Amino acid sequence: MAVTIKDVAKLAGVSPSTVSRVLSGHPRISQKTASKVRDIMQELGYHPNIMAKSLVSKTTKSIGVILPKPAEELFLNTFFMELIRGIVTQANRSGYDIVISSGANEQEEVEAVQRLVYGGRVDGAILLYSRQNDPVVEFLYQENFPFVLVGRTEQFPDLLSVDTDNIQAAYDATRHLISFGHKRIGFVSGPKNLMVSKDRLQGYHLAMKEAGLAVKADWIVEDDFLQESGYRAMSFFMNLPERPTALVVIDDVVSFGVLRGLNELGFKVPSDLCIVSFNNNPLSELYSPPLSSVDIGIYHLGYVASQALIQAIQDEDKSLFNKRHIIPHRLMVRESSMHHLSQRTV
């Protein structure tokens, strides 16, 4: 005979409605009560009928995670794996499953999200990227569907979002290099349609302007978030008549390509070129030399994004949909940037 919710409630000494709230991850249920109820569920071998529950409550207990490109390309960068780890950890604690969706281009992404929304397959969505004039964001906004953006959008500035202050983070990274006497500082950026590229480039420009330093167009390269992008950038930078003495690089994975390119060209870091990067990839401190990088709290970004979305879904409080969460960042200084310009002739 199948174990029922009433059986669990009786043994736990709580009401059936309390057991239901534990199953739905209700925020007002104490951790002590939730743990006790879950232990008894496990002891009795109770498994909730998700399909039946969905028909009654009109919820799926699932959230969609929207990837910015096909998964086989995406997972070349550990940023997204760490982000998803944070999302999944919090979602599981709240009793939610994850549905991952992606497309090869913007049109396929929109169609995939439409299937999730119109098919009633998820209660909300998390977008792992922020582009300028994004049709996916516009669709979700127009449908009044609960979603959270990892990043920000100028199109709808009041959306529920979780982000780093990327302008300040890039400003801090650039100021660090300026403090070591560098005046010719280059920037290896990402695709120009991404808000993170725009914001970090803006922070770099602000720091250079504040220090009274010129920025040459040749010192800025835009490419994808791939190791090959950094590798290609080095062939260009190191052949300039007036090359940079230091670089701000938009992502650690891109920096790994920078280091490989410099090594093949016979240049040394930091004696020939200093580097500061972003995301504090676990490999950053294992590279030779160890890479200075801005830690933006990737796991925390994912965890808070999941937490904020689920709270908004469960409380049905529309004011929660208009909140911007900023995760603190910090510069992890390592050998790649620890070389004062006065120590060499350039």
Side-chain angles (χ1 to χ4, degrees):
M1 187 173 178
V3 178
T4 68
I5 200 168
K6 289 182 179 179
D7 297 327
V8 175
K10 184 177 180 180
L11 193 57
V14 299
S15 67
S17 61
T18 297
V19 177
S20 294
R21 290 190 181 98
V22 171
L23 288 169
S24 64
H26 199 285
R28 292 193 177 91
I29 298 297
S30 71
Q31 188 63 46
K32 182 180 178 181
T33 300
S35 297
K36 181 180 178 182
V37 170
R38 289 196 184 98
D39 287 344
I40 289 171
M41 287 179 187
Q42 188 172 6
E43 180 184 328
L44 296 178
Y46 174 77
H47 298 284
N49 187 325
I50 298 299
M51 291 301 292
K53 192 173 187 299
S54 296
L55 290 172
V56 174
S57 65
K58 293 184 170 54
T59 63
T60 65
K61 298 298 292 182
S62 298
I63 54 178
V65 173
I66 316 303
L67 309 182
K69 58 180 67 176
E72 61 269 21
E73 292 182 33
L74 186 86
F75 293 119
L76 291 174
N77 193 323
T78 57
F79 169 85
F80 292 103
M81 290 188 283
E82 185 69 356
L83 194 61
I84 291 172
R85 188 172 74 89
I87 291 169
V88 170
T89 299
Q90 208 291 320
N92 286 344
R93 288 175 181 171
S94 299
Y96 279 75
D97 294 321
I98 298 295
V99 177
I100 292 181
S101 179
S102 67
N105 52 53
E106 282 190 3
Q107 183 57 38
E108 287 188 12
E109 285 173 21
V110 173
E111 291 170 359
V113 173
Q114 287 175 337
R115 287 194 296 270
L116 290 179
V117 174
Y118 293 146
R121 295 172 59 191
V122 295
D123 299 330
I126 300 175
L127 273 66
L128 301 192
Y129 58 91
S130 50
R131 292 185 297 232
Q132 298 183 59
N133 303 314
D134 191 339
V136 175
V137 171
E138 187 165 355
F139 166 74
L140 291 169
Y141 183 84
Q142 297 299 336
E143 291 294 320
N144 199 28
F145 190 75
F147 75 102
V148 60
L149 183 67
V150 177
R152 72 178 187 91
T153 171
E154 293 174 320
Q155 194 176 5
F156 305 109
D158 295 329
L159 289 179
L160 178 60
S161 63
V162 180
D163 199 7
T164 306
D165 186 342
N166 283 300
I167 296 175
Q168 184 65 47
Y171 173 91
D172 294 344
T174 309
R175 284 295 308 177
H176 169 69
L177 293 172
I178 292 170
S179 73
F180 275 79
H182 294 280
K183 294 178 172 27
R184 304 201 305 264
I185 302 172
F187 192 94
V188 181
S189 188
K192 62 174 62 178
N193 69 322
L194 295 183
M195 291 305 301
V196 65
S197 302
K198 179 179 179 181
D199 286 350
R200 288 180 182 171
L201 188 58
Q202 183 179 342
Y204 157 79
H205 275 290
L206 284 172
M208 294 291 280
K209 182 178 180 181
E210 184 186 271
L213 301 177
V215 175
K216 292 191 174 183
D218 283 349
W219 294 350
I220 299 173
V221 172
E222 295 172 338
D223 209 329
D224 212 338
F225 283 81
L226 296 172
Q227 189 176 139
E228 287 305 310
S229 302
Y231 181 79
R232 285 192 295 266
M234 286 309 92
S235 297
F236 172 75
F237 274 133
M238 304 315 283
N239 283 299
L240 289 174
E242 190 179 29
R243 63 175 178 82
T245 62
L247 289 180
V248 177
V249 184
I250 196 162
D251 183 274
D252 288 342
V253 170
V254 180
S255 287
F256 299 156
V258 168
L259 291 170
R260 180 163 62 92
L262 288 169
N263 184 58
E264 290 186 11
L265 291 168
F267 292 100
K268 301 295 183 183
V269 175
S271 56
D272 292 317
L273 186 75
C274 286
I275 299 173
V276 178
S277 187
F278 290 85
N279 296 345
N280 198 30
N281 186 300
L283 294 175
S284 297
E285 58 183 328
L286 302 178
Y287 246 74
S288 181
L291 188 63
S292 293
S293 186
V294 179
D295 189 328
I296 63 170
I298 302 170
Y299 173 87
H300 198 43
L301 277 168
Y303 192 96
V304 173
S306 185
Q307 187 177 52
L309 177 63
I310 291 170
Q311 184 181 4
I313 291 168
Q314 291 180 344
D315 287 3
E316 296 183 353
D317 181 354
K318 295 301 180 186
S319 68
L320 294 173
F321 291 1
N322 303 318
K323 187 172 181 181
R324 184 162 163 78
H325 301 261
I326 299 296
I327 306 302
H329 66 272
R330 59 178 179 152
L331 175 60
M332 310 299 291
V333 178
R334 302 188 181 103
E335 188 181 334
S336 72
S337 64
M338 296 291 288
H339 197 278
H340 202 283
L341 189 63
S342 63
Q343 294 175 268
R344 67 176 187 260
T345 303
V346 293

